[in-house]
Amino acid sequence: GPLLVAFRNVNVFGNFIWLDNINVVRKPRVDLQTQAIVRPNTTECTPPFTPSITVRNNGEVQVTGFKAGYILNGGAPVVQVSNVTLAPGATTTVTFPGIVPPSGNNTIKLFVFDPISVSPGPDFTIANDTLTRTFSVPPTLPGVIEGFEGTTFVPANWQLLNPNNNATWIRRAPGRFSGFSAFIDNYNNDLVGQLDIMQAPPINTIGADSVIVTFDIAHKNYDDGSFVAFDRLRVLASTNCGVSFTSVYSKSGPTLATAGGTADDYTDPIRSDWRRDTVKLGATFTGGNLIIQFENRNDFGNNIFIDNINIVPVFKRDLEIVAVSPFVVCSPAYAPVAIVRNRGTEAITAFNVSYTIGTGAAVTTNVTGVNLAPGASTTVTLTPGTLAAGLNNIKIYSSVPTSVSGTGDQYLLNDTLTRTASVATSVQAPNNVVEAFEGAFPPPGWGLSNPDNGLTWQKATVGKNSLGSAYIRNFVYYSNGERDALYSPVLNFTGADSVKLSFDLSATTRELASAAISGLDTLEVFVTKDCGNTFTSVYKKWGDQLQTINDVNYPQTVEYVPNGAYLWRTERIDLTSLGGNGPLQVIFRNTTNNQNNIYIDNVNFRTVTLPPRLKADGVIVMPNPFADQFSLWFVQTPTDLRYINVFNSAGQLMWKKEFGSGSTTNVIPVDLKGKAAGTYILHLGYSDKSKDKQIRILKFNE
């Protein structure tokens, strides 16, 4: 029948009493509950696994059997009968057959129903019959390299653990030498103690000796002079697929800070704010799957940026291809040179290095009889191949390293480099060779050197009074010190008396030259006469010397595009001192420091060969005979010339010009228009009278 519950207070002049959350519940006769999910865990590293649940008898009577089941990812139910006797309050575990869910995120719904009891009737409370869990089955990777440049956050196979669905890790600009990083806002989150976690996918550490975790961090802790906040960052490691974690790194407050303290919202770290932290994990963290978490504990302090996470196992045998060269050659024959480093813990006594050109067959070089110590590098010159015209895709990789413990590389992520190589063609240079970058890029016969396989020289859609130029996007080149070079064809010429190079330039900076703490973009021009074996620097500018906007106090904080001829400047370089005979090749090299874009256009290579008589006499008259005017052409500018007098055959002075301190040009025009035809005498007077000279010329009337 009805039940009345009363709460009676008896006052004895004591103290207050509070009551809250009064709950009077009828205990059902029959009630089974899915009390907990035992499996799956939130992360399942190595399917198959067996789903399982804990079932509790919440009723007043004994249960002698029931049904249990699950639905995976909305599919068909899987049901089994459990003939288990449960007294009131007792629990049991129900385990289902093993399953292999697909990789990625999955949802499983586990439930009980149809209890059998001594008091027949339906389950009184069906609301507690079902539990649902979302879990991840990430692929096990050989290692993790993450710079957060992708548009999806968190990255593929990562997990974001945000228990209260509040402010958490996001992708945000800037990164360290990159566009983006992982960011968490502690400055505007007053929930002290809130934990937010980024979890990396598991990596395979079977056979590894240790694991190295590195990451870049930028943080200013909150400090207003009277209060200091202690936001904390921890790195956690799990060897049992996320069931439990061990703290392997923990920093907070001023210890975590990379750029001191501030009371301001820290939203834009500069380059010097970043620090690289390293965590070394020993053998106790190897032998299976390893999961790394980055955990932020909010103290209502200030923001944290993390970038360039690397989780790398260290093995006995691990060869790395560090670099390959050359990138530009002068003939189709191509013999690449590889630098190979031993990243393992044992000396390597033999290995192979192979490369392919485009879709061609692999060319392999066997290296034997070596003793490459851990951490040491060696240079390997590979068997020659043949390049095609234009850019060639080169893939170079190491294989089968041998040490005392066996053969075979145990870490494959660093075995391969992909680069480009090109042939700079050889051309017979006329007096002028001009490249305006209006056609294909790189132009026929030109070459590109792109050591990091990142951004490099490319064609722009704007030029000096044109729709084309060559440029490099330093504004979005998130690096420091990377060098990219644009090679001209090999120019062949002989007997040139002067060799000149000119090009149009447009450039600016992102920062003030005085404020750019990590260097400025630099353009340098080199000349090689032996196809890259040796180089001569003939031009080098950066900062306020390189910029062409003519205002060093007005850097461009947006990406620079020179939409006007006034933003260009013509640069001229005299190459005569390098000799009048080819071959000669010009290289434009950009060194980036993530400032702003550099454009070049109208590259003009010009040679001048003087007439033999001019070189013999030092001066000639051209033309001779002449109609109205002629020019005196000197080999060198006559700085000691004092006057020029022109007399007719009768000795009358017809024209003169005086030079107080010598001529400033080596070409001097003379105008005798309107004078009679006939023979004229030029008298050249010098400060040293022994050099005075007379030249007979002939005028005719047209």
Side-chain angles (χ1 to χ4, degrees):
L3 174 68
L4 178 66
V5 177
F7 297 86
R8 186 177 68 179
N9 172 70
V10 178
N11 178 35
V12 292
F13 196 43
N15 216 326
F16 303 121
I17 295 174
W18 284 269
L19 294 179
D20 197 5
N21 301 319
I22 296 172
N23 190 3
V24 181
V25 179
R26 172 188 172 188
K27 187 174 179 65
R29 293 184 61 78
V30 180
D31 180 19
L32 277 186
Q33 175 193 12
T34 302
Q35 186 179 48
I37 297 176
V38 180
R39 294 288 294 273
N41 299 312
T42 55
T43 302
E44 289 290 347
C45 296
T46 55
F49 66 88
T50 54
S52 58
I53 54 175
T54 301
V55 178
R56 185 178 190 274
N57 182 0
N58 282 343
E60 294 181 326
V61 299
Q62 179 175 277
V63 171
T64 58
F66 57 89
K67 296 176 182 177
Y70 69 85
I71 297 173
L72 178 65
N73 296 327
V78 175
V79 176
Q80 67 184 37
V81 176
S82 293
N83 296 313
V84 176
T85 298
L86 287 178
T91 62
T92 188
T93 299
V94 176
T95 300
F96 299 93
I99 61 173
V100 182
S103 294
N105 291 328
N106 296 266
T107 300
I108 191 168
K109 182 185 295 185
L110 298 115
F111 52 88
V112 293
F113 65 105
D114 287 354
I116 302 172
S117 69
V118 295
S119 177
D123 193 311
F124 182 81
T125 309
I126 62 174
N128 61 8
D129 291 357
T130 302
L131 290 177
T132 300
R133 173 165 291 174
T134 297
F135 65 98
S136 174
V137 182
T140 299
L141 305 176
V144 171
I145 301 173
E146 184 54 58
F148 304 104
E149 294 303 301
T151 56
T152 301
F153 190 88
V154 282
N157 303 314
W158 286 63
Q159 290 190 57
L160 184 61
L161 307 180
N162 178 19
N164 63 354
N165 202 32
N166 194 6
T168 190
W169 292 99
I170 64 172
R171 173 180 176 264
R172 175 170 172 164
R176 186 179 194 184
F177 304 126
S178 62
F180 296 91
S181 59
F183 165 87
I184 193 161
D185 185 355
N186 294 319
Y187 189 88
N188 297 294
N189 183 5
D190 60 0
L191 293 180
V192 173
Q194 176 179 325
L195 299 179
D196 290 272
I197 296 171
M198 288 188 301
Q199 179 172 297
I203 66 168
N204 183 1
T205 64
I206 295 175
D209 294 340
S210 61
V211 178
I212 306 296
V213 181
T214 62
F215 58 94
D216 294 329
I217 180 171
H219 173 62
K220 287 186 178 182
N221 68 294
Y222 183 88
D223 185 349
D224 64 4
S226 60
F227 172 76
V228 177
F230 283 80
D231 302 300
R232 184 189 66 195
L233 179 70
R234 291 202 303 169
V235 177
L236 308 171
S238 173
T239 57
N240 55 12
C241 197
V243 175
S244 62
F245 284 87
T246 301
S247 176
V248 294
Y249 168 105
S250 181
K251 291 184 180 181
S252 63
T255 302
L256 180 65
T258 63
T262 182
D264 297 327
D265 193 358
Y266 182 54
T267 59
D268 191 16
I270 61 176
R271 295 186 189 185
S272 61
D273 288 355
W274 290 89
R275 179 184 71 215
R276 173 154 294 183
D277 281 355
T278 300
V279 182
K280 297 181 179 180
L281 305 179
T284 56
F285 292 91
T286 63
N289 291 315
L290 176 68
I291 296 178
I292 296 295
Q293 290 183 341
F294 294 84
E295 175 196 82
N296 174 78
R297 181 189 183 278
N298 175 47
D299 197 36
F300 195 26
N302 222 323
N303 309 326
I304 297 174
F305 297 78
I306 294 179
D307 201 6
N308 303 318
I309 294 172
N310 283 263
I311 307 170
V312 179
V314 178
F315 294 94
K316 292 180 173 61
R317 297 182 305 279
D318 177 16
L319 273 188
E320 175 187 25
I321 300 292
V322 177
V324 61
S325 61
F327 300 99
V328 180
V329 295
C330 296
S331 69
Y334 182 60
V337 176
I339 299 177
V340 182
R341 178 186 298 154
N342 181 2
R343 291 285 301 270
T345 59
E346 293 181 346
I348 300 298
T349 57
F351 59 92
N352 291 346
V353 180
S354 306
Y355 73 95
T356 59
I357 300 174
T359 58
V363 179
T364 300
T365 300
N366 307 113
V367 181
T368 59
V370 296
N371 187 22
L372 189 61
S377 299
T378 188
T379 299
V380 181
T381 300
L382 306 181
T383 304
T386 302
L387 296 179
L391 290 179
N392 295 258
N393 292 319
I394 308 296
K395 183 171 74 172
I396 185 166
Y397 52 95
S398 62
S399 60
V400 293
T402 300
S403 70
V404 294
S405 64
T407 299
D409 201 305
Q410 296 173 290
Y411 184 71
L412 304 178
L413 285 186
N414 55 12
D415 290 0
T416 303
L417 285 182
T418 301
R419 296 293 185 264
T420 60
S422 51
V423 182
T425 59
S426 182
V427 299
Q428 192 64 38
N431 289 341
N432 278 26
V433 176
V434 180
E435 179 54 59
F437 304 106
E438 298 295 316
F441 194 91
W446 288 64
L448 275 175
S449 174
N450 181 14
D452 66 343
N453 206 38
L455 283 175
T456 190
W457 290 98
Q458 58 186 299
K459 182 179 178 179
T461 56
V462 61
K464 185 178 181 181
N465 298 319
S466 68
L467 297 178
S469 63
Y471 85 126
I472 189 161
R473 299 183 67 197
N474 291 315
F475 190 82
V476 292
Y477 199 161
Y478 302 113
S479 190
N480 189 5
E482 289 292 340
R483 295 172 172 177
D484 292 83
L486 180 62
Y487 283 66
S488 78
V490 179
L491 304 169
N492 290 300
F493 57 93
T494 57
D497 293 292
S498 65
V499 183
K500 304 292 179 66
L501 171 69
S502 67
F503 61 94
D504 292 326
L505 167 74
S506 191
T508 188
T509 62
R510 184 201 297 260
E511 303 170 273
L512 287 171
S514 59
I517 59 174
S518 59
L520 293 167
D521 303 325
T522 300
L523 179 65
E524 192 164 6
V525 180
F526 295 89
V527 171
T528 178
K529 294 177 69 67
D530 53 15
C531 198
N533 292 318
T534 59
F535 296 92
T536 301
S537 177
V538 295
Y539 171 103
K540 186 176 184 180
K541 290 184 179 181
W542 63 91
D544 57 350
Q545 296 299 310
L546 182 66
Q547 63 87 24
T548 61
I549 64 173
N550 298 321
D551 187 349
V552 297
N553 295 314
Y554 187 60
Q556 301 288 302
T557 57
V558 297
E559 186 168 5
Y560 175 60
V561 179
N563 290 315
Y566 68 96
L567 295 170
W568 293 81
R569 181 180 69 233
T570 300
E571 303 284 65
R572 294 179 173 85
I573 307 170
D574 191 341
L575 306 179
T576 304
S577 62
L578 296 175
N581 292 317
L584 181 149
Q585 195 174 14
V586 178
I587 300 102
F588 296 88
R589 189 179 76 182
N590 173 82
T591 302
T592 187
N593 279 288
N594 191 212
Q595 287 291 304
N596 222 317
N597 303 344
I598 295 176
Y599 298 76
I600 61 173
D601 200 4
N602 303 317
V603 176
N604 188 347
F605 174 81
R606 180 168 57 90
T607 64
V608 175
T609 302
L610 301 176
R613 182 180 168 190
L614 173 59
K615 290 190 283 187
D617 297 344
V619 58
I620 61 172
V621 175
M622 294 184 68
N624 187 13
F626 68 96
D628 291 322
Q629 43 187 337
F630 61 88
S631 294
L632 282 164
W633 187 5
F634 296 83
V635 173
Q636 301 292 336
T637 300
T639 57
D640 57 347
L641 184 66
R642 291 297 176 260
Y643 63 86
I644 301 173
N645 291 335
V646 181
F647 300 92
N648 63 15
S649 57
Q652 296 172 308
L653 181 63
M654 308 302 294
W655 187 92
K656 71 175 182 178
K657 184 172 184 178
E658 295 182 349
F659 304 88
S661 57
S663 175
T664 59
T665 177
N666 69 326
V667 179
I668 302 172
V670 177
D671 187 355
L672 294 183
K673 187 176 182 180
K675 306 299 182 184
T679 300
Y680 289 81
I681 304 296
L682 275 70
H683 186 195
L684 309 182
Y686 292 86
S687 57
D688 180 359
K689 294 187 179 300
S690 65
K691 293 177 59 178
D692 289 359
K693 182 176 295 189
Q694 291 187 6
I695 302 174
R696 186 180 298 271
I697 58 176
L698 180 64
K699 183 180 186 301
F700 63 91
N701 289 330
E702 292 184 331

